[in-house]
Amino acid sequence: MSEHLTVVDHPLVQHKLTLMRDKGTSTASFRQLLREITLLLAYEVTREMPLTTRHIETPMEEMDAPILAGKKLALVSILRAGNGMLDGVLELVPSARVGFVGLYRDEETLQPVQYYFKAPEGLKDRLVIAVDPMLATGNSSAAAIDLLKQAGATDIRFLCLLAAPEGVARMKEAHPDVKIVTAALDRELNSKGYIMPGLGDAGDRMFGTK
Ligand code: URA
């Protein structure tokens, strides 16, 4: 995964994503599908976790077998839609610590403003995976990554479900060191900042708020 952007084109991911995009999909199914896709995306985003070896004995003979080197993971949800991606990653890496970043957009300056920030200890020694289903303008994502870097994070990945070209470009400019993993790169943003063709408002669809 040397590229800045990885699109996971696995058939199961693409199938589940189509079901999520469909406006007829229920809130319960949407949430379940997001959990399942996130688990599959988490497999990709953790691909470069360092390995070491452990000397073990199988029932047949001794061997030096690969095992995670012990670099700890911090999962950071960008509120509120990021919360829908937590369970999928935690299923794969149950010991991950979890943080939260809350940002809202100031209607006058149009800039993201922090209203909540809570991160696990020792960010600088962890692989930090920031999760937010929709990488749209990239403004709040870039601001969330700024906050994580200010808190000490140095090894960060960004995991999303859908990305817009505008958001990818913004992230590449602001944080070229942060690799992005997504299930699809959509066509564009509309004038209201929604991803097209997209899936609508991810938070509303997963929490049934609209
Ligand atoms: N956030 C969403 O939930 N949906 C979009 O299309 C863009 C941002």
Side-chain angles (χ1 to χ4, degrees):
M1 196 170 65
S2 59
E3 298 291 319
H4 184 249
L5 177 74
T6 300
V7 178
V8 179
D9 59 0
H10 191 287
L12 282 175
V13 170
Q14 294 306 312
H15 173 83
K16 289 174 193 294
L17 177 58
T18 296
L19 300 181
M20 292 187 76
R21 288 184 191 271
D22 189 334
K23 70 178 186 182
T25 296
S26 70
T27 299
S29 300
F30 188 93
R31 218 183 282 147
Q32 169 72 11
L33 286 160
L34 180 57
R35 195 183 63 75
E36 292 169 3
I37 293 192
T38 304
L39 192 146
L40 297 166
L41 297 176
Y43 171 83
E44 189 61 36
V45 83
T46 51
R47 182 177 285 283
E48 291 173 344
M49 283 182 88
L51 288 171
T52 180
T53 53
R54 178 184 290 174
H55 191 77
I56 57 164
E57 259 181 73
T58 77
M60 310 306 288
E61 63 176 13
E62 296 185 12
M63 73 177 287
D64 290 315
I67 193 155
L68 288 172
K71 178 151 189 177
K72 303 234 175 348
L73 212 130
L75 190 55
V76 177
S77 166
I78 302 176
L79 298 173
R80 76 182 155 148
N83 284 8
M85 298 181 78
L86 289 179
D87 285 349
V89 185
L90 286 172
E91 206 154 308
L92 215 56
V93 196
S95 59
R97 301 299 162 92
V98 181
F100 297 89
V101 178
L103 298 162
Y104 71 88
R105 195 166 76 139
D106 183 298
E107 289 309 327
E108 272 178 24
T109 64
L110 300 183
Q111 290 307 308
V113 179
Q114 172 192 334
Y115 66 86
Y116 190 76
F117 184 84
K118 186 86 183 171
E121 303 264 285
L123 272 194
K124 78 172 173 35
D125 300 318
R126 296 179 185 273
L127 168 64
V128 177
I129 301 178
V131 293
D132 188 349
M134 310 300 270
L135 176 55
T137 62
N139 288 336
S140 59
S141 309
I145 302 296
D146 281 336
L147 293 171
L148 290 170
K149 286 184 173 173
Q150 280 162 29
T154 55
D155 188 8
I156 309 174
R157 308 278 188 280
F158 189 85
L159 182 58
C160 60
L161 180 67
L162 287 186
E166 295 88 335
V168 173
R170 171 86 180 90
M171 282 286 279
K172 189 165 189 178
E173 167 197 288
H175 299 291
D177 56 309
V178 175
K179 290 176 182 172
I180 300 167
V181 172
T182 186
L185 178 61
D186 272 10
R187 192 180 65 245
E188 61 186 352
L189 292 181
N190 72 7
S191 60
K192 294 195 166 128
Y194 279 86
I195 298 177
M196 303 298 284
L199 49 73
D201 187 298
D204 282 343
R205 292 202 61 194
M206 80 180 70
F207 298 121
T209 40
K210 214 168 191 180

